[in-house]
Amino acid sequence: VLGALPRIQRRQRVRDAVILGIGLAVLANSRPYEGLLVALPLAIWLLKWMFGSYSPPARDSLRLIVAPVLAVVLAAGLWMLYYNFRVTGSPFLTPYEVHDAQYVPASMFLWQDLKPMPSYRHKAMRDFWAGWALEERLGMRSLAGFLGETFAKAAIVWYFFPGLILAAALCVSLPRFIRNRRTRVLAAAGCVLAAGLLFLNGIAPHYVAPLLAAVVLAVVQGLRQIRAWGRRRSVGARFYYRAILVGCVLCCVVEMVREPE
């Protein structure tokens, strides 16, 4: 999705529109809620460009962009309905909803009421869903609990994606990332995703997966900027740039050789 949009703007080709549709289908099947939050700002940006001053003729936009995207999304949607019907007996009831109804007493969003406590047959399932997950949900009802959980969510995402080694590179690139017209829409998508994650009961790093490409882009831009400072005889920037590369390799080695928890 993130790669197809600038290519559609640069050259209106059916191939790029099909790739965009495939990306939307992948998001709908993997992270539907988070994928929707990321796709909405991108869709608004695309529509604004299509109806702007430098847009192609409306007939070309419909034929080369809108029609291929809708064709792929419609085909994927019909297949998802068929899949749901074969698994759950209803095209509009997903396996994820059946799983939640069977195991999860805590609702997904903070404004939803708690569900009746399920009957667990296995202690591990009861300890997880009726223990840790439920306590976390109840703790977020207070302001202090909500703020503490918000900080914990931010720490989990930050540790998993840039971590300590790439933190400076990401911080260096963020101001330019926001000001740049070409990447501003990605920053907006990140803000919408972050706002939507605030109201979820818990979080895991893969919840931010729809925005992974934007995070990588921001980190790479930050590394390029630090390297440019190093070329201008900035000893500290040159040392940090080289230390990042060594640190990333060492972290990979440590993760591979350390014993599992």
Side-chain angles (χ1 to χ4, degrees):
V1 173
L2 301 184
L5 282 176
R7 289 172 172 81
I8 290 175
Q9 185 181 22
R10 188 164 52 248
R11 293 187 300 271
Q12 294 76 54
R13 298 182 299 185
V14 174
R15 180 183 68 180
D16 297 325
V18 170
I19 292 175
L20 175 61
I22 294 174
L24 293 174
V26 170
L27 290 177
N29 280 277
S30 56
R31 302 304 311 171
Y33 173 67
E34 296 84 357
L36 178 63
L37 295 178
V38 171
L40 280 178
L42 303 179
I44 294 173
W45 175 86
L46 180 61
L47 291 174
K48 181 181 177 181
W49 171 77
M50 289 174 56
F51 292 99
S53 304
Y54 301 99
S55 63
R59 183 176 180 180
D60 291 344
S61 295
L62 291 174
R63 179 173 58 90
L64 301 175
I65 303 174
V66 177
V69 172
L70 289 181
V72 175
V73 171
L74 180 61
L78 291 175
W79 186 258
M80 291 168 65
L81 293 177
Y82 175 72
Y83 175 83
N84 293 339
F85 172 73
R86 296 294 296 178
V87 175
T88 67
S90 171
F92 304 104
L93 182 64
T94 65
Y96 191 90
E97 293 175 281
V98 175
H99 165 270
D100 274 16
Q102 185 173 355
Y103 294 111
V104 186
S107 303
M108 177 179 294
F109 298 100
L110 296 182
W111 59 80
Q112 294 177 315
D113 296 329
L114 297 177
K115 294 180 290 186
M117 184 65 65
S119 178
Y120 299 100
R121 292 186 299 168
H122 303 282
K123 183 177 182 300
M125 299 294 291
R126 182 175 63 253
D127 292 343
F128 181 80
W129 290 115
W132 172 80
L134 185 59
E135 292 177 0
E136 183 182 65
R137 170 66 176 84
L138 295 175
M140 293 184 67
R141 288 185 169 183
S142 64
L143 178 60
F146 177 79
L147 295 177
E149 182 61 22
T150 300
F151 178 80
K153 290 178 179 178
I156 291 173
V157 174
W158 187 273
Y159 174 78
F160 184 84
F161 286 96
L164 296 177
I165 296 178
L166 298 175
L170 184 59
C171 293
V172 165
S173 68
L174 280 181
R176 182 176 295 183
F177 204 77
I178 296 173
R179 293 194 303 265
N180 191 301
R181 181 177 57 85
R182 298 177 61 186
T183 56
R184 190 179 301 155
V185 63
L186 301 181
C191 293
V192 173
L193 178 61
L197 293 179
L198 290 177
F199 303 100
L200 282 183
N201 177 29
I203 193 177
H206 63 272
Y207 287 20
V208 195
L211 209 62
L212 173 61
V215 175
V216 174
L217 176 61
V219 170
V220 171
Q221 284 191 346
L223 292 175
R224 292 177 62 187
Q225 190 170 345
I226 293 173
R227 186 166 183 257
W229 291 342
R231 286 181 172 178
R232 293 196 295 266
R233 300 182 182 280
S234 175
V235 178
R238 192 183 309 134
F239 171 79
Y240 177 72
Y241 176 79
R242 294 171 179 173
I244 286 178
L245 302 180
V246 176
C248 289
V249 173
L250 291 178
C251 284
C252 292
V253 173
V254 171
E255 289 294 329
M256 287 188 293
V257 301
R258 74 185 182 96
E259 296 182 1
E261 297 179 359

